[in-house]
Amino acid sequence: MRPFTYERATSPAAAAATVAARPDAKFIAGGTNLLDLMKLEIEAPGHLVDVQDLKLDRIEETADGGLRIGAFVTNTDLAADMRVRRNYGVLSRAIVAGASGQLRNKATTAGNLLQRTRCQYFYDTNQPCNKRRPGSGCAAIGGHSRTLGIIGTSEACIATHPGDMAVAMRILDATVETVNPQGVTRTIPIADFHRLWGDTPHIETTLRHGELITAVTLPKPVGGAHFYHKVRDRASYAYALVSVAAVIQPDGTGRVAIGGIAPKPWRAEAAEAALPQGAKAVASRLLAGARPTEDNAFKVLLVERTLGAVLADARNAA
């Protein structure tokens, strides 16, 4: 690990201003992803701004019946909150499907959204990777790509977003609240928060340097039956090959988002109109334009079968 300086932030705007003033500065809260990357010298910040003391760790009800989740609410506390379990079950299930109990005790809401890909070539500093070193190339293209993306990828990168929580938040239409160095706030729809890779896969979100996430807001509950199915190589502490987050209404309509296949949680609202017709109809629309590799072409069928299992559970629950 390379040397770095460290300070504790006193306010959100002050933290944002400090990071904005230094190109090599980063925020740190739970650190469950950043510290690993620093040890491997994939990330090498010269200055860390600790934001854990900013008291952004509360879950509060909003005036319109939703929930405002502080950026530093831990994954454990969020998944266990009775309001989340009762009204946003898909979110609770998605969080519990991720990582391990120990990591969920430290990982934060904001940090979970910002975690970086688990592509093996990103972690191997002996291999070219456009996310790690822009312009160096992508070893995954033409390499071992079984766990990587099949849609929304580019000629520069085929990595996937690794998270579970963001997939659930996508179908709940969450919004991300931020503050900039001037103390000005803005809200970003979760659909617009993560970027497709394009020619700049090292730029993963629409955040500006120094912009600090302060909360994530969920709108009022959508009702229906909530599901999160995750298919992975082992039963725990593994990232999704394919995951399906779904909210299914009694009449068979609903919402669906897919994880493990793209740079961001993958949702196509137009495909959801086909839910009453079954998983195959939805999957064919959802994955229109998919470009799987020889290694991961199985994910196309796996999306359909996992969605089919969710819809079968929904029928049984009804």
Side-chain angles (χ1 to χ4, degrees), residues 151-208:
I151 196 166
T153 56
S154 73
E155 297 301 322
C157 183
I158 60 172
T160 59
H161 174 73
D164 295 288
M165 185 184 77
V167 185
M169 286 187 169
R170 179 66 181 88
I171 63 168
L172 295 173
D173 291 330
T175 56
V176 180
E177 300 178 19
T178 70
V179 64
N180 71 10
Q182 291 74 43
V184 178
T185 62
R186 70 165 173 152
T187 59
I188 308 168
I190 192 71
D192 301 328
F193 183 76
H194 296 100
R195 298 175 70 254
L196 298 181
W197 301 146
D199 295 329
T200 55
H202 61 291
I203 304 174
E204 299 175 346
T205 72
T206 54
L207 291 177
R208 305 175 185 113

Side-chain angles (χ1 to χ4, degrees), residues 30 34 38 41 45 48 57 79 81 104 123 158 198 204 209 215 222 270 273 286 297 305 309 314 316:
L34 178 59
M38 289 173 64
E41 296 191 5
L48 291 180
D57 58 355
D81 188 275
R104 292 193 295 271
Y123 275 82
I158 60 172
E204 299 175 346
H209 182 65
V222 296
L286 194 67
R305 290 182 172 176
N316 293 334

Side-chain angles (χ1 to χ4, degrees), residues 72-136:
F72 310 140
V73 172
T74 67
N75 287 182
T76 295
D77 288 346
L78 182 56
D81 188 275
M82 288 306 300
R83 294 162 295 185
V84 175
R85 295 177 63 186
R86 180 176 62 247
N87 297 321
Y88 305 96
V90 64
L91 178 57
S92 184
R93 292 183 176 97
I95 292 170
V96 172
S100 66
Q102 295 93 329
L103 285 173
R104 292 193 295 271
N105 287 341
K106 287 293 293 179
T108 63
T109 299
N112 194 294
L113 292 177
L114 294 171
Q115 64 182 304
R116 306 201 68 187
T117 186
R118 264 55 180 195
C119 173
Q120 64 191 32
Y121 296 105
F122 174 70
Y123 275 82
D124 185 350
T125 56
N126 293 312
Q127 298 289 337
C129 173
N130 288 319
K131 293 181 72 60
R132 183 169 18 86
R133 186 178 297 114
S136 63

Side-chain angles (χ1 to χ4, degrees), residues 224-229 246-256 275 306-318:
H226 291 217
F227 303 90
Y228 191 77
H229 282 210
V247 173
I248 308 298
Q249 303 297 338
D251 63 359
T253 61
R255 306 177 181 187
V256 173
L275 275 168
T306 308
L307 179 56
V310 167
L311 296 182
D313 284 354
R315 289 191 295 271
N316 293 334

Side-chain angles (χ1 to χ4, degrees), residues 151 170-171 245-248 252-258 261 266-289 303 307 311:
I151 196 166
R170 179 66 181 88
I171 63 168
V247 173
I248 308 298
T253 61
R255 306 177 181 187
V256 173
I258 311 296
I261 64 169
W266 197 254
R267 182 182 176 194
E269 283 84 341
E272 294 167 357
L275 275 168
Q277 301 171 38
K280 187 172 185 177
V282 177
S284 64
R285 298 186 190 186
L286 194 67
L287 299 180
V303 168
L307 179 56
L311 296 182

Side-chain angles (χ1 to χ4, degrees), residues 10-91:
T10 56
S11 73
T18 299
V19 171
R22 291 189 55 164
D24 65 342
K26 285 187 175 293
F27 302 112
I28 186 167
T32 56
N33 189 203
L34 178 59
L35 290 177
D36 283 343
L37 296 175
M38 289 173 64
K39 292 172 185 176
L40 294 169
E41 296 191 5
I42 294 169
E43 293 271 16
H47 186 64
L48 291 180
V49 178
D50 193 328
V51 291
Q52 292 184 88
D53 293 342
L54 297 184
K55 308 302 181 185
L56 301 175
D57 58 355
R58 298 180 61 188
I59 303 173
E60 303 169 301
E61 296 178 13
T62 62
D64 64 355
L67 286 180
R68 186 176 185 272
I69 303 160
F72 310 140
V73 172
T74 67
N75 287 182
T76 295
D77 288 346
L78 182 56
D81 188 275
M82 288 306 300
R83 294 162 295 185
V84 175
R85 295 177 63 186
R86 180 176 62 247
N87 297 321
Y88 305 96
V90 64
L91 178 57

